[in-house]
Amino acid sequence: MTKILIVGGVAGGASAAARARRLSEDAQIIMFERGEFVSFANCGLPYHIGGDITDRSKLLLQTPESFLARFNVDVRVMNEVVAIQREEKTVTVKNLLDGSEYTERYDFLLLSPGAGPIVPPIEGLDNPLTHSLRNIPDMDRIINTLKMNKAKHATVVGGGFIGLEMMEAFHQLGIKTTLIEMADQVMTPVDREMAGFVHTEILDKGIDLKLGVALQSVDYLPNQHIANTEAGETEHNQHLQGSLNLRLNNGEELATDILIMAIGVKPETTLAAQAGLKIGELGGIHTNASMQTSDPYIYAVGDAVEERDFVTGNQTLVPLAGPANRQGRMAADNMLGRQETYQGTQGTAICKVFDLAIASTGKNEKQLVREGINFEKVYVHTASHASYYPGAEIVSFKMLFDPATGKILGAQATGKDGVDKRIDVMAVAQRAGMTVDQLQHLELTYAPPYGSAKDVINQAAFVANNIVKGDSTPIHFDQVDNLSDNQVLLDVRNPGERKNGNHIQGDINIPVDQLRHRMHELPKDKEIVIYCQVGLRGNVAYRQLVNNGFKARNLIGGYRTYKTAKGGF
């Protein structure tokens, strides 16, 4: 009888336990969880704080009792595995309720400890009004602080998934909120020009957004006198009544009632490192394609491990629930004699920011530049469904590809409708090895309420293939401000679209519908750099000019991309 020990529940560990039981009724399966909850929806925590998920119990997916009843898995909460004896194939477990320790033998051991929040060495950060959010107890503490301190102002440090979701939760509760991000953008999985749409949405909702700013120190200011303490109120809750004074590296000071630190997570590798298992260069537990560690009897999955990047083949850290669940399932297969291999992580992800969705898959431009990978990019901004049917919203879509092979390197999208659909399609296309040429031929659902006869993805593929085939010579938003004396900037939009300074300085304006009759106004000895609102009319103008002997380039993504990339911060 195979004996499997699992360290950690939630996504990877719980998936492995359930899969192992489905494959073998005979295996002995024990799962250890140092916390109180073995399987909970950690991605739903901010939505309970903000009130979208009203029933707290909905976040508890499985209990020790339900796991035992359905899967015959021995789940031991408040039990922490504190040491691994690899030679003996045993672990030492500490019961956190009574402090006692015991050992347990294994045939196979699965590590799924997850990742912990990064806590920077900032003076004053250890105080009762500062929180991170990783689990149910963290969530409960945040809710209690909001209640006891009657928070009027909240500050979130970090513009990633948790930071943005907490920002929105506070806003929904009517709490004035400041978001501080050290980088020049939120949502670093996308590129800055795409994040610009999110910046606009955040500012439109009245959030105090501070980019390129870091928290330097924190002063905890408890209430000087807490009179008439309510009956039953604990001393700890009294400490929750006060405020914080935040000092920022730009010289500003900020008073706030609650502080959320959400600057990222790091793999939990303490147990693995103490056991002498190989730790990768990025700081995660090293695993092979079978999810084995450097010890063939010990597997590891989830946020704690380094995994293979789908695009580059290099090691990467991607703390997402989808990969963790799939890895847990595969590890269980392999522990029970099957031969499954993990096929790499694309990093496909989406985040809700008020009325906007922002999503991505594969590599972003920053990563491609850093890794020296040759790429080209296209942007399209088009309706989520037929524009004449009510409710259509603009989807802003960016695709990155290899101009030589047409290989899809990554995609990003933002908008109020249809964003998840497009990125899901791109994630499947990328994993299937499709090229931008093949994307042209995707046959996607179309009816006016749901899509367009030429979908967003088809249109991006058309633009990409125009570039690959030489039917279009692109120029990008970050090149337009540095034109030479041998280039002329031409706006082919209608004059009304240029009002209130909505154009690029130094351009000339000839609407596309007048271009054939006014080409003589343009110099043939200079390159004409064309732009319109989103790039479509620009391409029409480009073909007219090139077919008439002009040298030209078209601004991909048009003025909309340029303005979003250049605007704001």
Side-chain angles (χ1 to χ4, degrees):
M1 180 176 67
T2 301
K3 185 173 182 179
I4 298 172
L5 302 185
I6 299 174
V7 179
V10 195
S15 293
R19 176 65 172 173
R21 176 57 70 220
R22 290 195 297 271
L23 293 179
S24 171
E25 193 62 29
D26 297 327
Q28 183 182 1
I29 307 169
I30 306 174
M31 183 158 54
F32 302 97
E33 172 56 53
R34 64 186 173 191
E36 183 182 350
F37 305 97
V38 65
S39 181
F40 60 92
N42 51 358
C43 295
L45 302 180
Y47 298 106
H48 178 61
I49 294 172
D52 292 310
I53 300 172
T54 56
D55 188 349
R56 179 178 178 276
S57 65
K58 298 288 187 184
L59 299 172
L60 305 177
L61 306 180
Q62 292 281 356
T63 64
E65 293 75 21
S66 67
F67 242 113
L68 181 63
R70 179 166 296 183
F71 297 111
N72 192 25
V73 172
D74 180 1
V75 177
R76 302 178 187 177
V77 295
M78 304 303 291
N79 276 247
E80 181 178 9
V81 176
V82 294
I84 303 170
Q85 293 76 229
R86 289 167 54 194
E87 293 292 326
E88 295 82 7
K89 293 177 73 173
T90 61
V91 299
T92 301
V93 186
K94 182 176 183 178
N95 184 321
L96 299 180
L97 295 178
D98 60 18
S100 63
E101 292 189 356
Y102 60 97
T103 61
E104 201 71 63
R105 181 194 64 82
Y106 65 84
D107 293 308
F108 292 103
L109 174 65
L110 176 68
L111 303 180
S112 181
I118 295 172
V119 181
I122 294 174
E123 181 186 348
L125 207 55
D126 185 12
N127 65 75
L129 301 181
T130 296
H131 302 273
S132 58
L133 180 61
R134 183 190 182 195
N135 52 38
I136 297 267
D138 290 341
M139 178 189 75
D140 291 340
R141 282 190 285 269
I142 291 170
I143 292 172
N144 191 43
T145 297
L146 293 174
K147 176 184 174 184
M148 296 307 303
N149 207 29
K150 298 180 175 58
K152 299 289 193 299
H153 186 278
T155 300
V156 178
V157 176
F161 294 97
I162 295 296
L164 291 171
E165 289 163 359
M166 285 304 303
M167 169 199 73
E168 183 171 350
F170 289 140
H171 181 270
Q172 284 187 196
L173 293 172
I175 299 171
K176 188 171 177 56
T177 305
T178 295
L179 177 65
I180 299 171
E181 169 56 58
M182 189 163 61
D184 64 352
Q185 66 166 93
V186 301
M187 276 297 288
T188 54
V190 305
D191 293 309
R192 192 183 186 280
E193 72 276 16
M194 298 299 287
F197 295 101
V198 181
H199 299 160
T200 299
E201 179 74 5
I202 291 171
L203 293 170
D204 285 348
K205 290 296 189 292
I207 302 296
D208 176 23
L209 176 61
K210 299 181 184 296
L211 297 177
V213 176
L215 178 63
Q216 275 195 329
S217 66
V218 180
D219 289 326
Y220 169 51
L221 308 171
N223 285 356
Q224 294 300 308
H225 178 68
I226 303 174
N228 303 319
T229 299
E230 294 181 14
E233 184 177 308
T234 66
E235 183 179 343
H236 171 72
N237 282 345
Q238 292 182 43
H239 289 310
L240 296 181
Q241 299 175 29
S243 64
L244 300 174
N245 185 63
L246 311 181
R247 291 189 179 87
L248 312 181
N249 68 345
N250 63 356
E252 287 186 61
E253 292 194 13
L254 180 67
T256 195
D257 301 314
I258 185 171
L259 174 62
I260 305 295
M261 296 300 296
I263 62 173
V265 296
K266 60 181 179 180
E268 176 53 73
T269 60
T270 304
L271 185 64
Q274 288 175 349
L277 298 177
K278 181 180 178 181
I279 304 300
E281 292 182 4
L282 301 178
I285 301 171
H286 174 81
T287 58
N288 62 19
S290 300
M291 305 314 301
Q292 284 174 307
T293 67
S294 53
D295 184 322
Y297 298 102
I298 302 177
Y299 291 72
V301 300
D303 295 357
V305 308
E306 291 185 10
E307 54 222 350
R308 186 178 67 85
D309 183 273
F310 180 81
V311 177
T312 67
N314 299 330
Q315 293 300 103
T316 186
L317 293 169
V318 182
L320 293 171
N325 275 282
R326 296 195 304 276
Q327 291 164 6
R329 175 186 174 90
M330 291 176 187
D333 281 356
N334 294 334
M335 286 188 288
L336 290 168
R338 299 196 176 190
Q339 294 183 329
E340 297 290 337
T341 56
Y342 188 66
Q343 303 297 312
T345 295
Q346 295 164 273
T348 309
I350 189 167
C351 186
K352 175 184 179 294
V353 185
F354 298 113
D355 298 326
L356 208 64
I358 179 86
S360 63
T361 191
K363 310 304 286 183
N364 59 44
E365 185 173 340
K366 300 185 293 285
Q367 292 168 328
L368 295 174
V369 169
R370 190 162 58 241
E371 299 191 29
I373 297 173
N374 187 38
F375 69 93
E376 184 55 89
K377 57 186 177 182
V378 296
Y379 302 87
V380 294
H381 307 278
T382 191
S384 57
H385 60 248
S387 57
Y388 56 80
Y389 187 88
E393 299 284 354
I394 295 295
V395 174
S396 294
F397 183 86
K398 176 180 184 178
M399 182 169 66
L400 297 150
F401 62 97
D402 185 325
T405 65
K407 176 184 178 182
I408 300 164
L409 300 175
Q412 303 163 31
T414 184
K416 295 183 179 181
D417 178 54
V419 168
D420 53 344
K421 169 181 174 178
R422 272 70 189 204
I423 293 300
D424 283 343
V425 169
M426 289 301 299
V428 172
Q430 184 182 56
R431 189 163 287 272
M434 294 180 68
T435 64
V436 293
D437 176 62
Q438 292 170 318
L439 283 184
Q440 295 180 105
H441 307 291
L442 283 184
E443 192 171 327
L444 304 173
T445 55
Y446 164 56
Y450 301 108
S452 299
K454 290 187 291 186
D455 188 78
V456 176
I457 290 172
N458 297 128
Q459 293 197 38
F462 296 153
V463 177
N465 280 281
N466 282 342
I467 295 172
V468 170
K469 294 175 180 177
D471 292 335
S472 177
T473 304
I475 191 168
H476 294 294
F477 70 87
D478 51 356
Q479 301 170 304
V480 171
D481 288 339
N482 300 302
L483 300 183
S484 71
D485 293 338
N486 293 318
Q487 293 173 302
V488 173
L489 185 60
L490 173 65
D491 180 1
V492 297
R493 298 175 300 164
N494 295 323
E497 297 175 74
R498 296 166 53 85
K499 291 179 179 177
N500 302 317
N502 281 314
H503 66 95
I504 303 173
Q505 294 300 313
D507 63 356
I508 60 175
N509 179 220
I510 302 177
V512 66
D513 294 338
Q514 301 176 16
L515 186 58
R516 278 191 178 86
H517 308 293
R518 295 178 59 184
M519 281 186 192
H520 62 275
E521 299 177 27
L522 298 172
K524 274 207 167 181
D525 61 340
K526 295 187 178 184
E527 183 179 72
I528 312 302
V529 175
I530 309 158
Y531 78 94
C532 64
Q533 188 64 18
V534 298
L536 188 60
R537 285 173 289 175
N539 184 59
V540 173
Y542 172 89
R543 294 308 310 168
Q544 287 184 28
L545 289 173
V546 169
N547 288 341
N548 281 278
F550 286 85
K551 185 179 179 183
R553 291 178 181 268
N554 182 30
L555 177 60
I556 303 298
Y559 184 70
R560 182 178 173 88
T561 299
Y562 175 89
K563 183 179 180 181
T564 304
K566 300 290 184 179
F569 295 84

